[in-house]
Amino acid sequence: MSETMQSAEPRVGVYVCHCGINIAAKVDIAAVVEFAKTLPYVIVVRDYKFMCSDPGQELLQQDIKELGLNRIVVASCSPLMHEATFRHATEAAGLNQFYFQMANIREHVSWVTADKALATRKSQALVSAAVRRVVLNEPLEHQKVPVKPNVLVVGGGIAGIHAALTLANAGKQVTLVEREPTIGGHMAKFDKTFPTLDCAACILTPKMSMVRSHPNITMLTYAEVVGVEGYVGNFTVKVKKKARYVHEELCVGCNECVEACVYKEGRFTDTFNEGLSKRKPVYMPFPQATPSVVLIDPESCIELKTGKCKKQCATACTRNAIDFTMTDEIVALEVGAIIIATGFQTFDATRIPQYGYGKFPNVYTSLEVERLVNASGPTGGEVQLRDGSTPKRVGIIHCVGSRDEKTNRHCSRVCCMYSLKLAHLIHERTDAEVYNLYIDMRTPGKGYEEFYDKLLKEGVNFIRGRAAEVTDWTVTPEEEGKLVIRAEDTLIGVVRRIPVDMVVLSVGLEAHADADEVRRLFNISCSKEGWFLERHPKLAPVSTFTDGIFIAGACQGPKDIPDTVAQAGAAVAEALALVDRGFVELEPNTAFITKELCSGCHTCIAMCPFSAIRYNKEAGVAEINPALCKGCGTCVAACPSGAAQQHLFTDEQIFQEIEGVLNYV
Amino acid sequence: MSDTPAFEPRIVAFFCNWCTYTAADLAGTARLTYAPNVRVVRIMCSGRLDPQFVVTALRQGADGVLIGGCHPGDCHYQEGNYKMLRRFHLLKRMLKQFGIDDQRVRLEWISASEGDKVQRVINEMVAQVRDLGPLALVGKPTPHPDASEKHAAA
């Protein structure tokens, strides 16, 4: 069929979409239709309310069959939105799908142009370009490439854990890579979860233990992805396993070595407890750490720093698990799909100096208080001030590093709810008077508003207004020895001074400081704030612009645990859809060499970043391996003789498009 | 436009599929209005930009050409934007030798999340080329409306 099509005179059908009023309100559809009728080879022009709908697709399919159309142009939205839709419709009507061309008159015209007459002209020019170009389109076939069945999950927080377990339960071999020495992420630090007040450990640690014991999961902790090569379905990933100085397979987590360490007491910052306690150079991150394996910190270990330690830890280990000669190790993985679930970091409260964090000892971040209320935390769940006393009055300041022009403009989504939860827990444990200072109370979620109601009834105080400062400058006797929160109470219109013993700063969620490096590693995009960018905010929320790489959890934007788990499930579904199909169809926009025109100058060979071009000595010409070509077209642009061309983007097609867009009517 | 005597520049833009074209889509989704003078030709990578495309656009009646690619280090194809950057510098030198003001050709790195940058760059460029005035090439063809070509093709 395609042969007859090729030789036949082009018969173009043009379909102009109203997109409801998205296009029609700004573009004179009738004028575009009339204009399109004057373009060469155009047989029929129609317009329809929604071309992407079934009746819209049927319009062009019917015309292909009845009018013998062999080229289709749809003027509607972005090709990134619906090119695939219309290609399928074209193919289903018996025409090769690459005889289709799209003109983007929504994102690039109607949505961005103020003047209707000018928007109409711009649409006409884009339709003219598409018609000129489609005439030169050729029939092509998708290249089928097999997909590797294994999946990599990056990040061992609740998103990564849920994704890895679900994939493993579906029978896939999964590698879970976590940068910290244990999986668990932020959730492992929490005591209770809102709004149900489920014990976080009770719902998380069984999942962590399942990850460890699942036969289909390989867990690489204290490890980082350092290299990603390949493409959808066929990624080669390099993971650096940092030296723990403890053999994971030998260590049973008995902690004898920790006991034996020459440091009798912990001397170094325990990051798991947010710096509220000290650890030794050899340590277990936390009692339920998974894997249950100790590690030695080379920054603080005397043996690793100076080589002059009695090494009592090694002597104490009956299993000889400690090995000071251990070095970083590179592990290579072959996977078909990658799920990125690298989470978030909390806002650095010292960036807002007026709240006194780092200056006043009893100003805490919310994450520190999560550790204080946690039964396995540094105080065994007792809410204490730095001097060990129990606070009688506590102020919780919302939106610290959120909804703020000076720091982060976004709402971190979880802070209202976790502040309510902390208010409840503090009130329950200490009977303290608790004040919540909020801008707006945001509780959109199942059972969230009800939880807020419950807090109101519990007698927690709510003051609507952004706190101005936290100060130790006292003016009344009752403020003596306390911290004073100054804030405008916008509901009664007065500035209030609230004396408290403890201030909790509800710090917002931010993208990791190194999100940009991670993004580059995986060749995905991120927003200006550093959140990884989804392919489409509504219809492809876990896909990225790089096929085969999916995102889940707070690395995509602030979200709570239920949303994170749901998103992890969605990412798994997308990954399974890819690997279970067993093959991918690659866009046939590869480059090719016309032998007759090639002088064998080698220019293109140096251009190719994928080593897809080689020189054929016998023939004296360059040859492109379509399986390696990714379709960037850099070699085509460099070829001095025009021998290198790119399918779907030949020089002639682009020249026609240039002429078309310059066709100002 | 024929009613207004003021000069309205014609600008052809070449945007890479992965960053700048997507950013232009984002500008649309965010309803950021900008000057309608720029018409976008999508290429997979800015590395596909053959300097001939720029020259052809100018010859066919464009008063300016805008090129948009991924930020350095962000190319979907590793280094296509760097390859284009080298050609771009050479191209500008060549255009100067032809007596074409090199401000008529502009290169911008615009990532997929920078819809506002698309708006700003396009508005700036349209204003700039409007100030420069029409590109007066000797023997420059007047673009024919396609209507007359239909008969030629038939």
Side-chain angles (χ1 to χ4, degrees):
Chain A
M1 180 160 200
S2 61
E3 265 175 41
T4 53
M5 286 290 175
Q6 234 174 342
S7 54
E9 166 111 332
R11 294 174 66 81
V12 183
V14 179
Y15 301 84
V16 185
C17 181
H18 297 224
C19 194
I21 57 161
N22 281 305
I23 295 170
K26 266 286 183 272
V27 174
D28 182 346
I29 301 284
V32 176
V33 169
E34 284 313 307
F35 168 78
K37 284 180 182 165
T38 67
L39 297 172
Y41 304 115
V42 171
I43 302 298
V44 63
V45 186
R46 297 185 201 278
D47 61 295
Y48 190 68
K49 275 246 175 283
F50 292 103
M51 275 308 297
C52 57
S53 67
D54 264 0
Q57 295 183 39
E58 277 161 21
L59 270 183
L60 65 89
Q61 291 179 321
Q62 207 173 341
D63 287 349
I64 290 171
K65 287 171 190 156
E66 290 176 6
L67 302 175
L69 299 184
N70 55 21
R71 303 286 193 283
I72 300 295
V73 169
V74 175
S76 56
C77 49
S78 169
L80 305 182
M81 180 90 192
H82 272 314
E83 187 176 58
T85 310
F86 294 120
R87 278 183 176 176
H88 287 144
T90 305
E91 187 91 33
L95 190 63
N96 184 286
Q97 58 176 296
F98 295 97
Y99 280 130
F100 166 78
Q101 190 65 38
M102 213 158 170
N104 184 350
I105 62 166
R106 192 180 75 169
E107 281 85 345
H108 286 197
V109 183
S110 68
W111 279 351
V112 293
T113 311
D115 183 277
K116 189 166 180 175
L118 295 176
T120 304
R121 284 178 193 167
K122 188 172 176 184
S123 303
Q124 289 169 332
L126 294 182
V127 168
S128 158
V131 169
R132 282 167 162 272
R133 192 189 204 287
V134 80
V135 167
L136 297 174
N137 280 18
E138 323 149 288
L140 297 167
E141 295 301 328
H142 278 118
Q143 207 189 133
K144 276 192 183 181
V145 175
V147 168
K148 290 176 181 146
N150 303 349
V151 182
L152 168 69
V153 177
V154 186
I158 183 59
I161 288 172
H162 185 75
L165 280 174
T166 316
L167 283 163
N169 288 339
K172 300 296 157 212
Q173 292 297 321
V174 185
T175 305
L176 177 63
V177 174
E178 167 58 49
R179 157 149 86 179
E180 298 295 326
T182 169
I183 60 169
H186 279 95
M187 190 176 169
K189 298 187 178 187
F190 305 158
D191 181 46
K192 298 279 194 290
T193 56
F194 61 76
T196 49
L197 298 175
D198 280 306
C199 151
C202 313
I203 55 178
L204 178 67
T205 48
K207 291 193 87 142
M208 288 163 65
S209 135
M210 276 158 73
V211 167
R212 186 187 50 76
S213 58
H214 205 295
N216 292 345
I217 299 179
T218 308
M219 194 168 60
L220 299 176
T221 52
Y222 209 37
E224 280 182 82
V225 175
V226 290
V228 181
E229 279 175 19
Y231 54 96
V232 54
N234 297 273
F235 295 105
T236 304
V237 181
K238 283 202 177 81
V239 180
K240 181 169 89 178
K241 273 198 84 183
K242 288 173 273 185
R244 292 177 95 102
Y245 304 102
V246 173
H247 288 287
E248 264 182 68
E249 65 286 3
L250 295 177
C251 177
V252 290
C254 66
N255 284 327
E256 292 290 334
C257 52
V258 182
E259 289 295 316
C261 177
V262 292
Y263 285 103
K264 292 291 165 238
E265 298 293 330
R267 287 263 292 271
F268 306 97
T269 306
D270 182 345
T271 47
F272 189 81
N273 277 334
E274 295 296 308
L276 294 172
S277 64
K278 302 285 184 193
R279 60 154 176 79
K280 296 180 180 180
V282 54
Y283 66 105
M284 179 73 80
F286 69 105
Q288 295 80 32
T290 307
S292 182
V293 173
V294 298
L295 73 155
I296 299 175
D297 169 24
E299 300 293 314
S300 50
C301 170
I302 296 174
E303 175 62 20
L304 288 169
K305 273 166 65 188
T306 66
K308 289 175 189 161
C309 182
K310 285 186 269 178
K311 294 182 268 186
Q312 287 170 194
C313 56
T315 321
C317 182
T318 51
R319 296 176 59 86
N320 293 324
I322 293 179
D323 177 359
F324 290 105
T325 64
M326 208 178 236
T327 50
D328 293 351
E329 186 189 338
I330 299 286
V331 182
L333 305 168
E334 301 280 325
V335 296
I338 299 174
I339 295 175
I340 301 176
T342 48
F344 64 94
Q345 67 181 29
T346 51
F347 175 77
D348 173 9
T350 59
R351 284 173 61 196
I352 306 183
Q354 60 268 39
Y355 289 160
Y357 182 74
K359 180 180 171 197
F360 304 124
N362 289 323
V363 176
Y364 293 83
T365 67
S366 46
L367 207 48
E368 287 170 340
V369 178
E370 292 282 358
R371 295 308 298 152
L372 285 182
V373 297
N374 194 310
S376 61
T379 57
E382 295 288 323
V383 180
Q384 295 173 350
L385 298 173
R386 303 274 177 186
D387 64 2
S389 65
T390 306
K392 295 187 180 63
R393 292 164 68 90
V394 177
I396 301 178
I397 300 178
H398 291 220
C399 297
V400 178
S402 304
R403 306 183 67 199
D404 177 5
E405 292 284 342
K406 291 199 182 86
T407 54
N408 292 313
R409 289 179 59 201
H410 65 262
C411 166
S412 295
R413 283 187 64 190
V414 295
C415 317
C416 279
M417 283 307 294
Y418 79 57
S419 298
L420 292 176
K421 173 192 75 180
L422 291 176
H424 168 84
L425 295 175
I426 293 168
H427 184 68
E428 181 188 69
R429 308 263 166 99
T430 63
D431 211 23
E433 190 85 357
V434 181
Y435 293 85
N436 273 272
L437 293 101
Y438 66 98
I439 309 177
D440 293 295
M441 191 56 70
R442 296 191 165 173
T443 57
K446 201 173 174 182
Y448 289 12
E449 185 68 14
E450 294 88 327
F451 188 72
Y452 175 35
D453 275 345
K454 173 181 145 84
L455 267 278
L456 286 168
K457 286 178 191 132
E458 277 177 10
V460 170
N461 303 293
F462 289 90
I463 296 170
R464 185 175 182 276
R466 185 188 278 278
E469 66 167 341
V470 174
T471 175
D472 59 354
W473 176 63
T474 55
V475 290
T476 61
E478 66 151 352
E479 289 177 359
E480 209 55 53
K482 291 191 188 297
L483 293 167
V484 177
I485 303 173
R486 286 183 61 235
E488 184 187 2
D489 186 332
T490 57
L491 291 181
I492 54 172
V494 296
V495 175
R496 295 180 62 175
R497 296 175 60 86
I498 302 151
V500 293
D501 303 307
M502 175 189 240
V503 174
V504 183
L505 302 179
S506 294
V507 286
L509 273 54
E510 284 183 339
H512 275 296
D514 64 350
D516 207 51
E517 289 155 45
V518 174
R519 164 185 85 77
R520 287 188 179 185
L521 195 58
F522 291 97
N523 201 354
I524 61 173
S525 304
C526 64
S527 70
K528 263 173 273 178
E529 300 81 20
W531 307 114
F532 296 147
L533 208 61
E534 61 280 8
R535 196 175 186 115
H536 190 277
K538 293 170 188 71
L539 300 180
V542 297
S543 303
T544 66
F545 288 102
T546 300
D547 288 337
I549 298 189
F550 307 99
I551 47 177
C555 63
Q556 182 262 347
K559 54 182 67 64
D560 56 18
I561 296 168
D563 284 3
T564 295
V565 172
Q567 210 182 20
V572 167
E574 296 282 357
L576 283 178
L578 168 66
V579 296
D580 271 353
R581 194 174 174 210
F583 66 90
V584 277
E585 288 187 333
L586 300 182
E587 184 81 356
N589 56 10
T590 48
F592 62 97
I593 305 273
T594 309
K595 276 184 197 153
E596 294 72 25
L597 295 175
C598 178
S599 64
C601 73
H602 285 69
T603 305
C604 56
I605 296 173
M607 284 292 129
C608 183
F610 308 106
S611 309
I613 314 178
R614 63 174 210 103
Y615 181 67
N616 181 335
K617 264 189 192 162
E618 287 94 75
V621 294
E623 281 176 350
I624 298 175
N625 180 348
L628 295 176
C629 174
K630 304 258 167 67
C632 63
T634 304
C635 59
V636 185
C639 178
S641 63
Q645 284 299 330
Q646 183 183 12
H647 289 302
L648 284 172
F649 292 89
T650 63
D651 284 348
E652 207 42 54
Q653 282 172 316
I654 293 171
F655 287 141
Q656 285 300 320
E657 209 172 338
I658 294 169
E659 276 199 48
V661 294
L662 285 167
N663 181 12
Y664 279 54
V665 280
Chain B
M1 247 179 270
S2 54
D3 304 343
T4 50
F7 164 64
E8 278 302 326
R10 304 165 178 197
I11 295 170
V12 177
F14 296 95
F15 284 174
C16 83
N17 181 65
W18 303 99
C19 288
T20 315
Y21 192 90
T22 311
D25 278 3
L26 181 65
T29 314
R31 311 296 199 277
L32 305 175
T33 51
Y34 53 80
N37 309 51
V38 172
R39 278 100 211 255
V40 179
V41 173
R42 181 170 69 115
I43 47 182
M44 290 313 285
C45 175
S46 55
R48 175 67 183 90
L49 188 95
D50 189 324
Q52 285 189 84
F53 298 165
V54 178
V55 176
T56 303
L58 295 173
R59 193 162 50 87
Q60 298 284 348
D63 301 297
V65 172
L66 171 63
I67 303 155
C70 304
H71 283 271
D74 287 1
C75 177
H76 191 80
Y77 304 101
Q78 297 179 11
E79 53 200 29
N81 49 0
Y82 291 114
K83 307 259 167 67
M84 190 271 299
L85 181 61
R86 293 187 210 163
R87 291 179 201 137
F88 179 74
H89 288 308
L90 278 173
L91 175 69
K92 282 184 83 148
R93 283 172 67 173
M94 193 192 84
L95 291 176
K96 267 193 236 170
Q97 287 164 11
F98 285 158
I100 297 172
D101 193 322
D102 68 353
Q103 290 182 74
R104 291 184 186 274
V105 182
R106 178 166 172 171
L107 165 66
E108 285 289 343
W109 311 125
I110 305 177
S111 80
S113 61
E114 295 178 314
D116 51 344
K117 191 170 177 186
V118 169
Q119 178 193 39
R120 178 172 62 75
V121 165
I122 286 183
N123 283 339
E124 278 175 13
M125 179 146 186
V126 169
Q128 190 180 30
V129 178
R130 194 183 284 126
D131 286 347
L132 288 172
L135 174 61
L137 289 180
V138 180
K140 175 178 168 181
T142 340
H144 296 288
D146 273 329
S148 58
E149 286 172 39
K150 178 163 194 172
H151 306 293

